[in-house]
Amino acid sequence: MIEFRGVNKWFGALHVLKDITLSVEPREVVVVCGPSGSGKSTLIRCINGLETIKDGDLVVDGQRLGDRATNMTELRTEIGFVFQAFNLYPHKTALENVTLAPIHVRKIARGEAEASGREMLAKVGLGDKFNAYPSELSGGQQQRVAIARCLCMRPKIMLFDEPTSALDPEMISEVLDVMVGVAEEGMTMMVVTHEMGFARKVAQRVVFMDAGAVVETGTPEEFFSDPKTDRSRAFLSKILRH
Amino acid sequence: MIWFQLQSLMGSYPLALRGLGMTIALSGISLVLGTILGFALGVLRTSGSRLLDSIIGLWVDLIRGTPFLVQIFLIFFILPELGVELDAFTAGIIALTNLAACFICEIVAAGIRSVPTGQVEAALASGLSQWQRMRQVVLPQAMRVSLPPLVGQYVLLIKDSSVVSAIGLTDLTRVGWLVVQRVPNGLLVFAIVGIGYFVVCYPLILLARRLERRMSAAHGEVQL
């Protein structure tokens, strides 16, 4: 579904992605972790073209990014992206947020889009917040609207860029619960997160990145109980200490 | 003496009305055209093309950095030399539209730049086209920032329209000049001219203030 082959990227002189080779199968849930600045966000932002790669191949849903034949706007409709800072449209209600792209991009009739939008908001536990503006919602609620906004497009892939990092601790679990639900329905997911509980519960694989390179990959059990490299051991001891 | 002058002024009211009409027509048409053009330029300026940005930027700086009177003279007296004949009204409309477009372009571009990149990325990620991103996500939020200064700019432009009297258009200011030749009381005549402008501008000033207050109440979008 997603395949990186020898991908490199630089920000000026900074080598942010170093020779990444990695593939994600359909219905697979992959958690990406690593210290800050290790390139994990950049990695998943490349998949929907928010960042461009310098060399190597990146094939998403059978289409090679950067090819003339690849219509990036069309491909993006198949990829949901959840941001750390939610990025809901502040001038639109929850329901308007989730129906904007279905109506304007998928060309679904408004009534139909609103019906499935309500259904989706109810599914993430916001059945009573259809007409609330983002400023009237808590962080956890906003992030759940953001997830519903992606799901309303019926994407093939969902990408999560540190979806709980901007949340107060008591709101993290309500967002993770929704993500677990999405994973259990068989969505192909790539999740940048340090929530190791989530990784243990639903991930088939954990990818550990450091300094722009993939250092280690393995199942959650392997990775957490028996990290293979010094760098992953050091990282785990820091995040699991508390 | 003052009674006689007032009587004489009363006789000039059809001329005054014509002048007021001319000022309103001139500003109204120029503001509508200038707003459309200014929005288009503001959107182009922020579209990511460095070439377009610097061409528009240069033109805006040129217009903002030269007196409006000089611009009107260039359009009205110099263009005919190059074979473009214009009547005074058209020349006035062109000059004022251009001036309005340049100021509005900057206001709109500043508004667009104030929208966080996360908003554009969210719109991009959900597959909205460039026009849809602008129309649905960026402009409504940019307007929140732009609307109060935009209305404020309208007031300045209406007042700037008085400069067109220099090429012989019978607007409110020129009516003042004509009347004062018959009624030698400059203070009185131009006080009335001033009131004429104020009557047109004051509602806009109130509107701008109202919009500014509403900004804090609205959810990222100004509702009129």
Side-chain angles (χ1 to χ4, degrees):
Chain A
M1 201 61 146
I2 305 169
E3 192 169 6
F4 289 85
R5 270 174 297 201
V7 169
N8 280 286
K9 179 178 176 62
W10 285 265
F11 284 138
L14 191 65
H15 198 173
V16 283
L17 292 180
K18 292 176 187 158
D19 205 23
I20 304 283
T21 296
L22 178 70
S23 74
V24 178
E25 301 305 314
R27 306 173 73 85
E28 193 179 16
V29 178
V30 173
V31 161
V32 183
C33 62
S36 71
S38 58
K40 12 184 233 305
S41 287
T42 308
L43 181 82
I44 70 162
R45 285 166 61 88
C46 286
I47 297 168
N48 75 342
L50 288 180
E51 305 283 353
T52 52
I53 61 174
K54 191 73 187 169
D55 65 37
D57 290 316
L58 175 48
V59 180
V60 180
D61 193 24
Q63 301 188 65
R64 190 174 165 277
L65 269 61
D67 268 1
R68 229 166 261 255
T70 301
N71 181 338
M72 209 56 225
T73 305
E74 232 163 73
L75 184 58
R76 283 186 183 120
T77 64
E78 307 297 338
I79 307 171
F81 197 103
V82 176
F83 297 87
Q84 182 177 355
F86 330 132
N87 295 351
L88 292 182
Y89 310 128
H91 58 299
K92 295 190 181 290
T93 63
L95 188 60
E96 288 167 348
N97 263 279
V98 302
T99 55
L100 182 73
I103 290 171
H104 289 95
V105 179
R106 289 265 194 254
K107 309 287 178 202
I108 295 171
R110 181 173 294 272
E112 200 181 318
E114 285 180 351
S116 63
R118 284 198 191 90
E119 197 180 306
M120 207 59 89
L121 284 172
K123 201 167 144 187
V124 300
L126 296 169
D128 55 341
K129 299 286 185 192
F130 298 151
N131 298 317
Y133 285 92
S135 57
E136 298 164 339
L137 298 172
S138 72
Q141 291 171 329
Q142 288 189 56
Q143 193 62 297
R144 284 184 280 151
V145 173
I147 294 171
R149 176 170 70 178
C150 295
L151 292 175
C152 280
M153 289 294 278
R154 315 268 171 207
K156 295 179 181 164
I157 300 169
M158 287 276 284
L159 305 172
F160 295 80
D161 186 7
E162 307 207 30
T164 57
S165 304
L167 296 176
D168 291 335
E170 74 270 21
M171 292 171 183
I172 290 177
S173 67
E174 67 189 49
V175 170
L176 289 179
D177 287 345
V178 169
M179 290 168 60
V180 168
V182 175
E184 282 170 351
E185 283 178 16
M187 180 66 75
T188 307
M189 286 166 64
M190 233 173 139
V191 184
V192 174
T193 187
H194 291 165
E195 293 298 331
M196 294 305 137
F198 173 81
R200 276 182 198 278
K201 203 163 184 178
V202 294
Q204 276 92 54
R205 238 171 347 134
V206 175
V207 172
F208 175 71
M209 285 184 76
D210 190 24
V214 173
V215 177
E216 191 173 335
T217 59
T219 64
E221 292 78 43
E222 289 168 359
F223 181 71
F224 292 122
S225 54
D226 183 24
K228 303 265 182 312
T229 60
D230 289 342
R231 281 190 283 181
S232 55
R233 271 193 290 273
F235 173 73
L236 281 174
S237 75
K238 270 179 208 146
I239 63 162
L240 297 177
R241 185 178 299 160
H242 303 290
Chain B
M1 184 65 186
I2 186 99
W3 182 243
F4 175 74
Q5 284 179 348
L6 271 176
Q7 262 187 326
S8 177
L9 270 181
M10 292 291 268
S12 307
Y13 91 92
L15 189 60
L17 275 187
R18 245 185 67 195
L20 185 64
M22 172 60 84
T23 290
I24 290 175
L26 199 63
S27 336
I29 295 172
S30 307
L31 288 186
V32 170
L33 294 178
T35 302
I36 294 168
L37 190 60
F39 264 79
L41 290 176
V43 169
L44 284 178
R45 201 164 176 189
T46 50
S47 66
S49 156
R50 208 167 283 172
L51 181 69
L52 271 177
D53 184 16
S54 41
I55 292 173
I56 296 169
L58 185 65
W59 182 251
V60 168
D61 288 348
L62 210 60
I63 295 305
R64 296 213 296 184
T66 51
F68 185 47
L69 186 62
V70 172
Q71 294 166 20
I72 290 188
F73 282 163
L74 284 175
I75 290 171
F76 190 59
F77 296 119
I78 309 295
L79 281 187
E81 301 276 316
L82 307 171
V84 188
E85 288 291 343
L86 293 171
D87 59 85
F89 186 71
T90 314
I93 292 277
I94 292 176
L96 206 53
T97 297
N98 178 48
L99 184 71
C102 286
F103 281 106
I104 291 167
C105 163
E106 291 302 277
I107 292 172
V108 170
I112 290 175
R113 287 191 199 106
S114 76
V115 177
T117 42
Q119 290 293 310
V120 181
E121 287 187 349
L124 207 58
S126 57
L128 294 173
S129 68
Q130 191 176 6
W131 166 243
Q132 290 168 333
R133 293 197 294 274
M134 213 16 116
R135 169 72 191 80
Q136 299 293 336
V137 177
V138 176
L139 277 184
Q141 295 184 62
M143 283 315 291
R144 174 186 153 93
V145 178
S146 300
L147 214 41
L150 189 65
V151 178
Q153 190 63 49
Y154 286 171
V155 174
L156 294 178
L157 288 164
I158 291 170
K159 294 190 293 180
D160 279 343
S161 77
S162 67
V163 176
V164 297
S165 57
I167 53 171
L169 276 176
T170 319
D171 75 330
L172 203 49
T173 302
R174 189 163 172 81
V175 167
W177 284 116
L178 294 175
V179 171
V180 89
Q181 285 164 20
R182 275 192 301 118
V183 185
N185 188 339
L187 184 64
L188 185 65
V189 169
F190 279 99
I192 293 172
V193 167
I195 289 169
Y197 280 102
F198 185 71
V199 164
V200 179
C201 291
Y202 192 52
L204 285 175
I205 293 172
L206 291 181
L207 178 65
R209 194 172 301 153
R210 206 178 136 98
L211 288 173
E212 234 160 294
R213 264 205 306 268
R214 281 225 177 173
M215 256 179 51
S216 49
H219 303 280
E221 181 179 34
V222 177
Q223 281 140 23
L224 285 169

